Amino acid sequence: MKYLCLLSLVLLFVRFSAQQETYYEKWYNADESKLPQNTIKSIVKDKYGFIWLSTENGIVRYDGRSFLTYDINVPSVENRTLMIDGSADDDWLFTFYNSGEIPALITKRKFSVISDTGSLIFKQLKPHGTENLWKVLKESPEFIHKGKFFFYISKNEFYYIDNYKLFYQKNGKKKFVRNVKGYLFYRFFLLENQLFYLKDDAVIEKNEKTGLVEEHQSGIVCKKDFDYFINTPNKQLLIRNDNKIYLIEYKNKKILSTLVCSSKTIKGLAVTCMYYDKPTRTLIVGTVSQGFLLIRKNFINSYNAPDQTIFHALAPYSAEEIITSRGDIFGSKGYVKKLQFPNRDPYGILALGKDEFILKNEHGIVLWSQNKAKTLRYFGKDAAVNGFSTIPGNKIWISLFSGNKNLLGYIVVKNQEIIREKFYAINIPVRGIAQVDNEEFLLAAHNGLYLFNEKKSTRKTLVKDISFRSINNNNDNLFWVQTYGKGLYLYKEGRLYGPPKKNSILSSVHSVIDDGKGYYWLSSNKGLFQVKKDILIRSYIKQNSDFYIHRYSRKDGLLTSEFNGGANVNGLLNNGFAIFPSMNGLVYINTKNAFPVLPGSEYYIDRVAVNEKEKNVAGVLNLENNFGYVKIFVDYINFGNQGNDYIDYKIDDNKWQPLPDNRVISINSLTHGNHRIYVRKLKDFSSNYHYKTLEIFVKPAFWETTFFKLFAVIIMLLIFYSFYRIRLKQIEKESLILNAKIDERTRELKETIGSLSKTREELYAQLYRQKKLVAAISHDIKSPLKFINMSTEILEDSIDDDCYEKKVIASIKESSAQILDFIDSTINYNKIFIYDNYKTRENIKLRDFIFQRMRLFTNTADFKFIQIQNNISENDVLVSNPDVLSIVIHNILDNAIKYTDQGFIYIYGITNECRYDLVIEDTGLGMSEEELAKIKPAQDYSGSRLGMKIVKELLPLIDVSFDIESKKGEGTKIILTFEV
């Protein structure tokens, strides 16, 4: 039983320590893809990066995402093709249909069948038809070997064999090289610009142009399953040796065999052709009946421990190994061993020295040293350690919650003991700590980002109300601060930069690792990303969200796209590997050997389809007015993650929008005239765009042409002219009638003017009589009243003061004075309208002016036991007409005294901003709501209300408004409002 357990443990160790599969493999066939047929005869990459496949059912162009199939479209001829030959570097590729009878040309990313037998291209290609067939079949009868076989370096430079003689030709000049009798034509191949021959499994001959032959060893030990695959257009030789594929190269005058693939899928596979793409390290394998296989070696690997697949905090263990917070040790080849950490908290580990670590625990911190665990500091059962330093130093900084307080402090450890510690009440829940300099620390907290000065014990708020979780830097002055879904922040030289807008990729970053080669590697909840370091920093400083971020997926070796964060260290660089914890494995990235599969740098917009009929255009697309439906294809290669296609387009001056996944710009309506389709592609690891434009001209309909518009204008002018002539005649007739009516009306007007003149003279006469009447009244009525007034004064002086008769005489005196004053007011009232006196304005000292009006009512007020109080300020001055204002105040005071018995009359002023309110308020009988309603509207006043009518008529003459407030039995308040 003991040995059985030991064996199980060993098997488990072998299982989890073995390296993860390092190849991405993808099959393309007729069943699951849009490949027309599963038999692949040749695979060639053209000058523009597109992959061309010859199949039993047509030629196919592959751009990494989709297939474009070309058919021969010749009646009675099968769609079966031979192999693709020619020179890819010279953009000159060709193949054949009908066993070599019908040639087809591949150039400028386009395919065309050469059906014109009299054309020059047909005559150039036709002789290669038979040769192409024999290369496919690899037949070796004598009559075949005596034929011609070409090996093109370029269209004008090539080797060829003719009847066992090898020649070299360039620009029409040929040269005999040597005799090759006994050699098999299908074993010759090109490397660079040299011709080689695969003599046997281990020996390769180089054919010098001088006729000399050099032998080289391939260095491959032949296995049972050995085969070779020559790709003449791409100048490649690939050798399969069991499940290994070797690329044969000639460098520094030596033959090199480089292992490019080691996959069990290759072993025993019925392979027909191969192509190895060095920039993307991708091998494409064509088969007899299974389509083709795309294989790419990954430089990213994911490793798990025997009992752990989810990882968090990391720390360096040695120069080539790292350790997790659970004690799992990993190297670049995978799991190594495990230390028995007692730690239950996976979010904190800090390396102090060799085999010595500080571990974060729930209520304290633990020291692991000499393979033993020791509680270094226990803060209490109610305490919780939130986080601690990301890098070791003399002081280990710790944030914790203890005693309802958030604390931040440090400990100093020496000889496995704490020799000094100090904590500050920080009052914020800190999760991430990073030392900026000798005094200042960045603190990432649940409620913001802060800068703490240890020397001054002060805290400065940089960002509030955002939940921050961790901080990392790469031993430089750049600090990357991670949040909970609110973006990645950069702190640089005392300034904080927020994430560029509209860049959702950076919303959930956990760690930013500098690989030392000019790139940052970013782990996040949304995957793994690579970005140019200087571009990312510049985008933060300039707030530019348009820059290239390379995304990696499960195709690149990841087991999951969700990485972990929130620990003190969420990623690190060790031995040239960027290492990140994830939800499924510890991810190792070989930054020394990284080769991101980038989209093609060039793209093309010269292929369009109008109503499903494809055609090629060169910068300008002409469309009919009723063109129906247009598709504009944006062609480019991308053999990697399609999510790295940063391509936008816009029509005319509309808004930029991302190119659809099918890489097609669809248009179903455009106005006539000139239009432009703008396309831009973000350059690899850059913030610059590559722009292209397609001009579109939509022909106008016949009614939109200049000729039609001119014709329509002429017709309209003729119609208008006709109407003009008709109308002109009609106007001439109407003019005669109108002139007659004008003459008649002129006579009537003269009569009316004469009548008005007479009326004016009569009005002047009436006005003169009225003036005389006013003068008569002034003289004939005022004179007797003045005499009465003088007589009463004499009588008053001759009678004793105690005599009742004296009081009566005094009353008669006062009444006669009032009548005189009333007459004066009436005269003044008439003079106002007769002589237009109301238009004059002068400054009025309001207090004295009111006193003059009050004197007229002194006796009447005393007789009725009424007190009149003038509360106007001595400084109140108004600009108004004194005659009109005198009549108005006289009538208001007269009414107030008339309807008041044994009371008060208050006169005062109120200044409100740009107006002045003169208020006359009495404590008399007041008015009911019905009476008040009758007074306020403009209507005819009679009887006792005549004075109020005069007031309402006069106030508009001096631009004064008034208001009345009154209650029955409480009195009346009249408010005169003057504009100041």
Side-chain angles (χ1 to χ4, degrees), residues 495-510:
R495 291 191 62 184
L496 184 69
Y497 301 93
K501 297 178 180 179
K502 299 180 183 179
N503 201 324
S504 61
I505 294 176
L506 302 175
S507 62
S508 302
V509 173
H510 298 314

Side-chain angles (χ1 to χ4, degrees), residues 631-871:
K631 292 180 180 179
I632 301 171
F633 300 94
V634 183
D635 289 334
Y636 60 94
I637 59 169
N638 184 1
F639 298 106
N641 187 352
Q642 304 299 317
N644 292 317
D645 294 337
Y646 295 92
I647 299 185
D648 305 314
Y649 78 96
K650 68 176 181 178
I651 302 175
D652 294 332
D653 293 326
N654 295 322
K655 185 179 179 182
W656 287 104
Q657 52 187 321
L659 184 71
D661 292 339
N662 62 359
R663 304 181 182 179
V664 176
I665 301 172
S666 299
I667 301 173
N668 54 19
S669 65
L670 283 176
T671 58
H672 75 278
N674 294 306
H675 299 273
R676 288 186 178 182
I677 305 295
Y678 298 94
V679 182
R680 66 179 185 180
K681 182 179 185 295
L682 199 58
K683 294 181 180 179
D684 301 338
F685 292 110
S686 168
S687 59
N688 299 321
Y689 281 98
H690 178 198
Y691 291 85
K692 285 194 175 183
T693 304
L694 176 64
E695 302 280 349
I696 298 180
F697 176 71
V698 181
K699 296 179 181 179
F702 76 91
W703 62 84
E704 296 172 325
T705 61
T706 304
F707 176 78
F708 180 83
K709 291 178 180 178
L710 182 60
F711 177 76
V713 169
I714 293 172
I715 295 298
M716 290 298 294
L717 289 175
L718 290 174
I719 293 173
F720 284 136
Y721 180 74
S722 300
F723 276 110
Y724 168 75
R725 294 294 298 174
I726 295 170
R727 181 60 180 160
L728 186 61
K729 290 181 179 179
Q730 185 178 2
I731 289 173
E732 289 176 353
K733 292 180 181 179
E734 292 176 351
S735 178
L736 295 174
I737 298 172
L738 182 61
N739 288 333
K741 288 185 178 180
I742 290 173
D743 292 340
E744 182 182 351
R745 293 294 175 88
T746 302
R747 289 192 299 272
E748 293 176 355
L749 183 60
K750 287 180 178 180
E751 294 174 358
T752 303
I753 292 172
S755 176
L756 288 174
S757 297
K758 292 179 181 180
T759 303
R760 183 179 63 179
E761 292 174 359
E762 291 177 0
L763 287 174
Y764 280 141
Q766 290 179 8
L767 182 61
Y768 176 78
R769 289 193 294 272
Q770 189 175 7
K771 289 180 180 179
K772 291 293 185 181
L773 176 63
V774 169
I777 292 173
S778 298
H779 182 268
D780 297 341
I781 296 179
K782 285 178 66 177
S783 296
L785 285 174
K786 286 182 180 179
F787 177 78
I788 294 171
N789 188 267
M790 292 172 58
S791 300
T792 52
E793 285 182 1
I794 296 170
L795 288 173
E796 188 178 22
D797 291 338
S798 62
I799 299 175
D800 295 335
D801 293 338
D802 296 334
C803 189
Y804 174 76
E805 286 81 0
K806 187 172 185 175
K807 289 182 181 181
V808 173
I809 292 170
S811 177
I812 293 170
K813 176 186 175 183
E814 179 65 26
S815 297
S816 62
Q818 287 182 4
I819 293 170
L820 281 170
D821 190 66
F822 175 75
I823 292 170
D824 287 337
S825 297
T826 304
I827 293 171
N828 290 335
Y829 176 77
N830 282 280
K831 284 181 179 180
I832 286 171
F833 294 100
I834 294 172
Y835 299 105
D836 291 340
N837 290 340
Y838 64 88
K839 295 180 180 179
T840 60
R841 298 286 189 275
E842 62 183 67
N843 291 333
I844 300 172
K845 292 189 69 175
L846 193 59
R847 182 178 177 85
D848 296 341
F849 188 80
I850 295 296
F851 271 128
Q852 291 176 6
R853 307 282 80 73
M854 287 170 54
R855 288 194 190 100
L856 300 175
F857 300 96
T858 302
N859 290 336
T860 305
D862 291 341
F863 187 79
K864 298 185 72 175
F865 302 100
I866 298 172
Q867 292 185 22
I868 304 175
Q869 295 184 5
N870 184 359
N871 297 325

Side-chain angles (χ1 to χ4, degrees), residues 46 113 250 266 675 729 815:
D46 68 10
V113 176
Y250 184 72
I266 298 294
H675 299 273
K729 290 181 179 179
S815 297

Side-chain angles (χ1 to χ4, degrees), residues 243-291:
N243 64 322
K244 293 181 173 59
I245 305 296
Y246 295 89
L247 175 67
I248 305 302
E249 298 177 285
Y250 184 72
K251 292 182 178 179
N252 299 324
K253 298 182 180 181
K254 291 182 180 179
I255 289 291
L256 302 176
S257 57
T258 305
L259 179 66
V260 297
C261 178
S262 178
S263 172
K264 293 180 181 179
T265 308
I266 298 294
K267 190 172 183 179
L269 196 64
V271 179
T272 57
C273 53
M274 289 186 185
Y275 168 72
Y276 181 68
D277 189 51
K278 290 184 70 175
T280 62
R281 303 191 185 184
T282 302
L283 178 68
I284 304 177
V285 181
T287 68
V288 174
S289 60
Q290 295 176 253

Side-chain angles (χ1 to χ4, degrees), residues 71 132 436 457 528 593 736 744 826 924:
D71 297 330
N132 193 292
V436 177
S457 297
L528 177 69
N593 200 29
L736 295 174
E744 182 182 351
T826 304

